[in-house]
Amino acid sequence: MAHVLGIDIGGTGIKGAPVDLETGQLLAERVKVETPHPSVPEAVAAAVAKLTAGFEWTSPAGVTFPGVIEDGVVKTAANVDKHWIGTDARELFSKATGVPVAVINDADAAGLAEMKYGIGAGEKGTVLMLTLGTGIGSALFIDGILVPNTEFGHIEIRGKDAERRASEIVREEEDLSWGKWAGRVDEYLEHMEHLLSPRVIIIGGGVSRRSDKFLPLLTGLRARVVPASLHNDAGIVGAAMAAPAG
Ligand code: BGC
């Protein structure tokens, strides 16, 4: 089962493409649709079903979700409609698409992809991946093994959820300069470093393509801070990796 459909649900967009699991490469141009508003389960499931049908997909698929996922059930929904909480997303998406589906946290998926095919490949010890997007997602690895659902975007910094200060969407919404935003990211990473002492911190999300604008402005971290190499495709690839065996 080397070819698997990966679908990455974010607070802003839903992206999908078939993935070659031998190489981690997308097999076709990715398709992106906007996350429906309100992002209620039925509307998102319909979008996922349309995307799946668009690829004429009939074998297993993996789907990411921006919240804590336990056995396919959504436990938190910070940046999507609260009706998701308690929803069996695995069952919902399987029914809507007609194919067997697995569901995984979006940052965990992105981390799995980076650790297998990307910048984290072969890294031992503690590796922390942080995705800076609509929220801040986290994926923690110890010797390549994922500790799922870590949710480090919600630690408190200066009385606020870290993701309300240092996510990419906040940089855009508050029209922050790269310097100002990099200061916030720096403070957040220092905090994470105090807690976990990772050897490597991988910065993911779409903004990782522009890492030259902010990574050089970070100061004094012991960890090696590197941009993700799969950029925004990591979620799709990681989703495919999580799909049930067909
Ligand atoms: C959610 C996480 C998610 C992250 C990135 C956070 O608000 O709580 O589950 O991984 O956003 O989408």
Side-chain angles (χ1 to χ4, degrees):
M1 195 195 53
H3 294 181
V4 175
L5 182 65
I7 298 182
D8 189 17
I9 300 177
T12 312
I14 303 176
K15 304 169 290 218
V19 177
D20 181 347
L21 289 181
E22 301 287 326
T23 62
Q25 302 286 317
L26 304 193
L27 288 160
E29 191 136 330
R30 66 183 200 174
V31 172
K32 182 171 178 178
V33 295
E34 275 186 21
T35 305
H37 286 288
S39 52
V40 290
E42 298 67 34
V44 172
V48 167
K50 204 168 157 197
L51 223 146
T52 308
F55 284 109
E56 297 179 1
W57 206 258
T58 53
S59 53
V63 181
T64 79
F65 187 84
V68 170
I69 303 294
E70 284 171 11
D71 291 330
V73 178
V74 176
K75 299 290 176 175
T76 68
N79 291 308
V80 281
D81 192 273
K82 301 292 176 249
H83 286 100
W84 276 102
I85 298 171
T87 298
D88 188 332
R90 179 170 54 201
E91 190 183 281
L92 181 70
F93 293 142
S94 301
K95 278 201 181 135
T97 58
V99 305
V101 166
V103 184
I104 179 174
N105 172 264
D106 57 351
D108 284 348
L112 285 173
E114 288 292 341
M115 294 299 282
K116 173 135 197 217
Y117 306 106
I119 194 79
E123 290 288 353
K124 297 281 178 223
T126 304
V127 176
L128 177 63
M129 164 120 183
L130 296 167
T131 61
L132 309 179
T134 310
I136 294 181
S138 59
L140 179 66
F141 293 86
I142 319 287
D143 288 338
I145 307 287
L146 173 69
V147 181
N149 291 317
T150 44
E151 294 291 316
F152 293 135
H154 299 293
I155 64 161
E156 193 180 302
I157 305 236
R158 294 181 192 258
K160 271 194 181 176
D161 240 25
E163 72 174 20
R164 292 313 307 150
R165 288 182 46 81
S167 66
E168 161 64 3
I169 204 100
V170 169
R171 184 185 71 78
E172 290 169 17
E173 278 170 7
E174 296 184 19
D175 201 16
L176 299 175
S177 67
W178 286 106
K180 177 123 199 200
W181 184 68
R184 292 188 181 189
V185 173
D186 206 24
E187 185 180 34
Y188 172 56
L189 297 186
E190 269 179 31
H191 217 89
M192 293 314 306
E193 185 166 80
H194 277 306
L195 295 172
L196 297 170
S197 294
R199 282 192 200 175
V200 183
I201 300 177
I202 304 173
I203 303 291
V207 77
S208 59
R209 282 186 201 286
R210 304 173 82 186
S211 58
D212 56 316
K213 302 268 189 210
F214 64 98
L215 289 192
L217 305 178
L218 304 181
T219 57
L221 290 152
R222 300 191 307 279
R224 201 151 41 87
V225 184
V226 293
S229 55
L230 304 177
H231 300 294
N232 239 352
D233 288 340
I236 295 176
V237 176
M241 288 169 72

